Amino acid sequence: MIAEEIGFKTEPTQTVPPRKLWGLRLALLSALLLWLANPPAGLWPLAWVALAPLIVGVLRARHFAQAAWRGYLFGWVFLGSLWYWIGLTISAWTGSAIGWVAWFGLTFILAGFFALWAGAAWWLDRNVPEQWAVTALAAAWVVMEWVRTLGALSMPWAQLSYTQYRFLPILQIADFTGAYGVSFLMMLVNGALAYFWMGRDKPLRARRLWAACTLCFMVCLYGLARLQQHDVGHSLQVADLQTNVSSYQTPSPETQLQIMHRLAINAKAHVPNPQLYVFPESASPYDPVQNPSGYLFFHQLADATKAAILTGAEIHARGADHNAAVLFVPDLPQPRVYYKQQLVPFGEFIPFRSILSPLFGRLFDFPNTDLTPGSHARVLQANLPNGLSLAIGPFICYESMYPARVRAMTRQGASLLVTISNDSWFLSRAAMQQHLAAVVLRAIENRRQVVRSTTTGITCMVDAEGYLLAQLPTNQEGFLVHTMHLLHGQTLYVRFGDWFVGLCFLLLCGLFITQMRRRKAHTS
């Protein structure tokens, strides 16, 4: 009686007798719908309703373990089907079946995040005031997505907000909250829909659904207004180059340099001439810092084009191998170098090598050495021949999935973001599109234009509102020349980082502490 008076539910949400396997079917239905919302299908509106069946199944579970199991099954099926290309990629890279072991292992581990969220949602539904229930579920989802970015084995692929990379009005709020704010809104709608589904006779649940939809509508209005604004800065002619060199059919170093030289010279014929040329990740067949041939090639290319040249390369420095972005500028003897910080597990390093090598070393062809991550963000700064000051914030391939990595570049003064990638490893166009989705969010969060250069696609340029300004066809050699703008200023997200995640976490802590105090007062 006391609990009811203070607004806490004393009975489970379940209002109908459970049927065998129905909860698992709802989890599978959500996995299918959310998979369809992501590339390759790209049916993004489905993401606004895809998780409602899962929420119903989780909240009607009989106990915590059952709720967690339903969340785990959802995560396993969704992630496993979405990133099937992990198995293809790593198997092709290592020349063995270890890729499918990695695919199974990563999916097995990372599906656990969805199990934790489902268990938390089940507990919250039974222990917080009903007017806070949907908000608490959405806050828990945001915290779960953020936790997925932590640690060396993290793989924050396919965050909920990434499904909306073609629906730009809803994404504009990311300059305040980061991508997590968009995920919160989407989860708010899914949760309100699920509660409405379970008890449409209760006026509160209908009002909550209308409130969630109204909030999203207001955010879209802000987004539409923001899309009419265009930040202004110094213009820069950028040549975005796609070499079409596959990681599985790599030509000789001499041929690769010929391709790069040909692309740069052809792009130089564009009027006005490019002031920055961007080559993809691993484009240089030689170490352009330590190897004299590599250094001479890029230095002469910078002099010939009278422009800055940025290329990806593997560099040996301080006794270790690094994946790096290297910037050459005319009349600047020493190139500027950034070392990639977030390495790909099973791609650029083998986790638990000392354990896995003795167990699987005879069955699978492990690479002999791991790459070493960089220790900090570094903006590549230089003065161009025309006197323009250039500050590039580079992030390499997989780092586009980590908002904090890109944000650090903008905080250090980057006026243009450049991401270089080698997506030919994927063997999947769907993976290329999923990768691009994250880049769109990084542009909006930082309000910086982004140049994206890849070996085989998707090579493109993105403005600060998330529009694709230009794009090359995949699996073709070619280049784009486009006017980009060097932007300054800092968004709320850049200044304060993941404050919205912290707010969600504090909300959950407050609800938990309040419930513990209420329970203690009730039992004393």
Side-chain angles (χ1 to χ4, degrees):
M1 181 67 69
I2 295 177
E4 291 176 355
E5 289 176 357
I6 62 176
F8 287 87
K9 298 187 286 294
T10 58
E11 296 181 358
T13 304
Q14 180 175 303
T15 57
V16 296
R19 288 181 291 178
K20 189 175 181 179
L21 298 181
W22 71 269
L24 298 181
R25 290 169 183 162
L26 288 175
L28 293 174
L29 175 60
S30 279
L32 173 63
L33 292 175
L34 195 56
W35 178 81
L36 289 172
N38 283 275
L43 303 177
W44 59 265
L46 288 179
W48 293 89
V49 300
L51 293 170
L54 172 66
I55 295 171
V56 172
V58 165
L59 300 189
R60 286 182 170 174
R62 288 170 293 181
H63 47 77
F64 179 91
Q66 187 179 61
W69 165 242
R70 290 172 180 176
Y72 184 83
L73 178 67
F74 160 82
W76 215 107
V77 174
F78 169 62
L79 293 178
S81 59
L82 189 80
W83 60 32
Y84 67 92
W85 41 264
I86 289 178
L88 297 175
T89 301
I90 300 177
S91 292
W93 175 60
T94 59
S96 66
I98 189 66
W100 295 107
V101 176
W103 168 82
F104 180 88
L106 286 172
T107 308
F108 179 83
I109 294 171
L110 298 179
F113 288 108
F114 297 97
L116 291 174
W117 171 83
W122 183 88
W123 186 90
L124 289 167
D125 175 66
R126 285 154 175 76
N127 290 282
V128 305
E130 187 172 3
Q131 60 267 29
W132 284 99
V134 173
T135 305
L137 263 61
W141 184 274
V142 166
V143 173
M144 181 270 290
E145 284 198 338
W146 179 79
V147 172
R148 284 181 62 197
T149 68
L150 305 179
L153 278 177
S154 63
M155 193 168 183
W157 202 269
Q159 304 279 43
L160 189 58
S161 59
Y162 296 165
T163 61
Q164 306 300 297
Y165 80 105
R166 292 179 176 174
F167 182 43
L168 295 181
I170 198 66
L171 297 184
Q172 303 307 309
I173 194 67
D175 63 359
F176 286 96
T177 63
Y180 302 110
V182 181
S183 294
F184 178 85
L185 289 173
M186 298 175 69
M187 201 61 193
L188 205 64
V189 173
N190 275 280
L193 184 62
Y195 273 91
F196 182 75
W197 182 0
M198 290 186 295
R200 63 179 60 201
D201 56 320
K202 295 187 177 181
L204 173 63
R205 297 182 175 181
R207 291 197 301 269
R208 188 161 42 197
L209 180 59
W210 278 110
C213 292
T214 300
L215 178 60
C216 291
F217 177 73
M218 293 174 64
V219 170
C220 283
L221 288 181
Y222 164 76
L224 290 171
R226 187 62 181 81
L227 289 172
Q228 304 306 312
Q229 304 173 19
H230 297 284
D231 298 313
V232 178
H234 291 292
S235 61
L236 180 76
Q237 294 297 316
V238 180
D240 198 2
L241 310 165
Q242 182 170 290
T243 56
N244 196 36
V245 173
S246 170
S247 300
Y248 303 106
Q249 295 177 337
T250 306
S252 67
E254 291 74 18
T255 301
Q256 294 181 61
L257 293 181
Q258 289 172 6
I259 292 172
M260 298 174 75
H261 185 269
R262 179 172 63 247
L263 283 171
I265 296 304
N266 289 342
K268 185 177 182 296
H270 186 274
V271 179
N273 299 144
Q275 299 160 287
L276 170 66
Y277 294 75
V278 181
F279 287 103
E281 177 189 19
S282 306
S284 175
Y286 299 115
D287 181 337
V289 178
Q290 305 294 337
N291 185 288
S293 298
Y295 175 85
L296 185 61
F297 172 82
F298 287 104
H299 221 297
Q300 290 180 341
L301 193 60
D303 289 337
T305 57
K306 295 181 175 58
I309 307 289
L310 188 142
T311 184
E314 186 172 313
I315 289 180
H316 186 80
R318 306 184 190 95
D321 294 324
H322 302 268
N323 189 350
V326 187
L327 180 68
F328 287 84
V329 180
D331 302 324
L332 186 67
Q334 293 299 320
R336 306 287 192 246
V337 182
Y338 163 73
Y339 300 125
K340 184 179 181 183
Q341 301 171 80
Q342 194 75 42
L343 301 182
V344 182
F346 293 102
E348 294 173 313
F349 74 101
I350 302 298
F352 314 114
R353 178 183 285 273
S354 61
I355 299 174
L356 294 179
S357 292
L359 293 175
F360 300 106
R362 295 182 180 180
L363 298 175
F364 305 113
D365 183 19
F366 286 120
N368 294 326
T369 59
D370 296 333
L371 294 180
T372 300
S375 59
H376 59 276
R378 185 185 182 189
V379 173
L380 304 181
Q381 296 180 320
N383 292 321
L384 298 179
N386 65 355
L388 186 65
S389 179
L390 183 63
I392 294 175
F395 52 106
I396 301 175
C397 192
Y398 188 53
E399 291 183 315
S400 60
M401 295 292 164
Y402 294 82
R405 298 290 187 196
V406 184
R407 169 181 167 264
M409 297 292 183
T410 307
R411 278 185 61 85
Q412 288 189 16
S415 54
L416 178 70
L417 296 176
V418 174
T419 177
I420 56 177
S421 185
N422 181 4
D423 286 2
S424 68
W425 289 109
F426 284 140
L427 298 175
S428 165
R429 181 171 174 81
M432 295 179 183
Q433 293 171 325
Q434 293 163 17
H435 199 180
L436 173 62
V439 175
V440 171
L441 265 297
R442 303 295 85 85
I444 298 171
E445 288 169 343
N446 294 272
R447 291 299 177 195
R448 291 294 187 271
Q449 297 194 337
V450 181
V451 179
R452 184 171 195 257
S453 176
T454 69
T455 51
T456 59
I458 300 171
T459 296
C460 61
M461 298 181 179
V462 184
D463 77 1
E465 287 74 44
Y467 282 116
L468 290 185
L469 298 172
Q471 178 179 333
L472 282 174
T474 58
N475 301 311
Q476 292 183 22
E477 179 183 319
F479 65 88
L480 297 168
V481 178
H482 201 280
T483 302
M484 305 297 283
H485 295 279
L486 305 181
L487 303 179
H488 301 278
Q490 295 184 356
T491 65
L492 188 71
Y493 177 74
V494 170
R495 290 184 179 183
F496 300 105
D498 295 320
W499 66 270
F500 186 76
V501 177
L503 185 63
C504 290
F505 180 73
L506 289 176
L507 171 65
L508 295 175
C509 289
L511 292 172
F512 177 78
I513 292 172
T514 300
Q515 169 60 7
M516 292 300 100
R517 288 178 176 175
R518 297 287 189 186
R519 183 173 295 180
K520 184 177 179 180
H522 180 61
T523 55
S524 60

